């Protein structure tokens, strides 16, 4: 047998990457934030920036520039950041960290379409480079409604702010929705690509920043126990659920006209599906992971009769947490005629050898029974059960469940003999892994991880344009079908969705798991 001599061995790219245990600290840089008064900026982006500073992961001269049509001075914007940090940041407030961060806070007043305002922004950015040492490196964070992306992108280009340079970087961060359908997504991607080079575009899907989501690949590919069962021979179906107990929480302006499928299935749930179903990547480098994600997404098909295998609904008034709540059509800012769905469920199949015949059920909704996101791999029944019927009355299917949130961990469900029964009854039991019990450190917020990655120029957790476009390709026929077939069904707040959601899965002889 010929042996590969050590000097001829290909280096394992996984080992050759930087030691992942060393904390990664961003170099000199700043963020320019568009949409400073929005919910996302105040509840997620600003607190995450502070948390990064508090963990020592931002450079000492870091700068945060707010851009908005407000008659504000730097101090007014700093006050807004301060308040949102105090209210929403994960880590404790420390005066000295805040002081250092606030010294780099600037505000530029202007209309998103006003070229002069961008000239002023350029002046502020240049000044920060000179006085705070941001080194010309700036990320433009578009936390604004998607309809405003074009005007900002065009102005960033025209003002020279987006200009690439060998000794500095300019990046753009885009929040979803990336378009409204495939056609608009392509137009948006073309526009972004005409302003920034592909490596400088960071599309945020915050689910990919969650530790529990990143753990899907780790658990699947770091172990031997699971992967041999992870296929159509053993898996009966996969259920991916993202349920929320809140309503639209004052976000009618964003949500109405978008709905649950565009808001959550197009991005978060299809990403979870890709991570659950993809083949093992050659390495965990961004390029290799994306190849496998795209491959599996390309293999996704819809059932022929979309109406029978999908469901949508709108929450009606009801009770939640002991309090009466309004229905979607009574929410402030929602048209009483609105046909926007607040619940969406659909079956998809994956047309490859591993998953042939295994349905993947995706569902999401607002004002459901409780807040929970999970990926449940439900196994087939044992091919032979040497028990009498009465002994296995309480035995269900085995399941492997990634508990994404809020109770982060993994559950394995299997049958076990009930002790002290002479008849030997077998009943389902759970084996649980809880993050809190196994690890000391609490997980950073998804936005901390993602914003740091933007500043480091590290793209593996950001969907590429191809992934976004394939996801629309999957969803568009369902959205078209719904648009042509009446209105969403009403469902009671605090329940688990419309009748049609139970019917669609019952048609396949299955039931939704009760998370
Ligand atoms: C966002 C959606 O992407 O995710 C919201 O736009 C939703 O409608 C939110 O409420 C839920 O995020 P998380 O991290 O709390 O599951």
């Amino acid at each position: 047998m010929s042996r590969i001599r050590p000097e001829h061995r290909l280096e394992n790219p996984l080992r050759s990457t930087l030691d992942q245990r060393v904390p990664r600290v961003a170099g000199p840089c700043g963020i320019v934030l568009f949409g400073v008064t929005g919910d996302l900026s105040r509840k997620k982006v600003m607190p995450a920036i502070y948390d990064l500073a508090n963990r020592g992961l931002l450079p000492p001269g870091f700068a945060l520039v707010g851009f908005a049509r407000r008659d504000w001075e730097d101090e007014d914007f700093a006050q807004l950041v301060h308040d949102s940090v105090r209210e929403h940041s994960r880590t404790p407030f420390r005066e000295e960290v805040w002081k250092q961060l606030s010294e780099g806070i600037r505000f530029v007043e202007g209309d998103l379409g006003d070229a002069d305002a961008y000239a002023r922004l350029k002046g502020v950015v240049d000044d920060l480079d000179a006085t705070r040492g941001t080194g010309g490196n700036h990320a433009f964070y578009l936390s604004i409604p998607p309809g405003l992306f074009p005007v900002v992108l065009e102005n960033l280009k025209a003002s020279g702010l987006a200009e690439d340079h060998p000794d500095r970087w300019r990046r753009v961060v885009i929040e979803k929705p990336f378009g409204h359908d495939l056609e608009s997504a392509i137009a948006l991607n073309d526009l972004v690509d005409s302003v920034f080079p592909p490596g400088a575009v960071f599309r945020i899907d915050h689910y990919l920043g969650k530790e529990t989501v990143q753990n899907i690949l780790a658990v699947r590919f770091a172990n031997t126990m699971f992967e041999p069962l992870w296929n159509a021979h053993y898996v009966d179906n996969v259920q991916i659920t993202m349920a929320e107990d809140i309503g639209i929480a004052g976000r009618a302006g964003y949500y109405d006209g978008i709905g649950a499928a565009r808001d959550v299935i197009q991005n978060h749930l299809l990403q979870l599906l890709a991570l659950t179903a993809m083949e093992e990547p050659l390495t965990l480098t961004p390029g290799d992971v994306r190849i496998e994600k795209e491959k599996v997404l390309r293999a996704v098909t819809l059932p022929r009769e979309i109406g029978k295998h999908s469901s949508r609904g709108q929450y009606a008034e009801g009770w939640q947490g002991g309090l009466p709540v309004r229905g979607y059509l009574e929410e402030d800012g929602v048209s009483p005629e609105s046909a926007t769905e607040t619940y969406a469920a659909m079956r998809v199949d994956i047309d490859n050898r591993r998953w042939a015949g295994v349905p993947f059920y995706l569902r999401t909704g607002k004002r459901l029974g409780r807040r929970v996101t999970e990926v449940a791999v439900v196994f087939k029944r044992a091919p032979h059960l040497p028990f009498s019927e009465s002994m296995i009355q309480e035995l269900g299917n085995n399941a492997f469940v990634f508990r994404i949130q809020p109770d982060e961990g993994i559950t394995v469900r299997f049958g076990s003999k009930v002790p002290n029964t002479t008849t030997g009854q077998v009943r389902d039991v759970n084996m649980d892994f809880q993050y809190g019990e196994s690890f000391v450190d609490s997980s950073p917020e998804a936005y901390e991880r993602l914003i740091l990655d933007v500043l480091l120029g590290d793209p593996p957790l950001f969907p590429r344009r191809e992934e976004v476009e394939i996801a629309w390709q999957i969803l568009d026929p369902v959205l078209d079908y719904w648009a042509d077939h009446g209105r969403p069904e009403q469902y009671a707040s605090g329940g688990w969705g419309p009748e049609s959601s139970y019917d669609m899965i019952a048609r396949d002889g299955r039931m939704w798991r009760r998370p």
Side-chain angles (χ1 to χ4, degrees), residues 212 215 219 400-403 407-412 430-439:
T212 44
N215 197 28
V219 168
F400 183 95
V401 186
F402 290 105
R403 300 196 316 268
D407 174 27
E408 287 98 355
I410 288 174
T411 296
V412 181
N430 285 337
M431 206 157 76
D432 279 337
F433 148 60
Q434 313 259 14
Y435 272 73
E437 282 177 12
S438 300
F439 301 116

Side-chain angles (χ1 to χ4, degrees), residues 48 206-211 444-451:
H206 79 282
Y207 262 63
L208 297 178
K210 291 183 192 275
E211 280 292 341
E445 268 280 320
Y447 273 89
E448 289 171 59
R449 168 70 199 261
L450 295 175
I451 291 171

Side-chain angles (χ1 to χ4, degrees), residues 78-111:
Q79 187 62 45
L80 175 80
V81 180
H82 175 268
D83 295 348
S84 63
V85 165
R86 287 306 292 243
E87 199 174 343
H88 300 289
S89 63
R90 181 181 64 90
T91 59
F93 189 81
R94 290 198 290 150
E95 207 50 65
E96 66 276 19
V97 174
W98 169 251
K99 188 166 177 300
Q100 187 168 21
L101 187 64
S102 62
E103 279 165 8
I105 291 184
R106 303 283 184 278
F107 184 73
V108 175
E109 186 220 328
D111 193 278

Side-chain angles (χ1 to χ4, degrees), residues 381 384-396 415 423-428:
R381 299 277 282 188
H384 175 249
L385 289 164
F387 306 91
S388 67
E389 258 313 301
S390 63
M391 288 158 77
I392 51 171
Q393 258 169 4
E394 293 182 60
L395 176 68
T423 47
Q425 273 174 4
V426 180
R427 183 192 297 164
D428 287 334

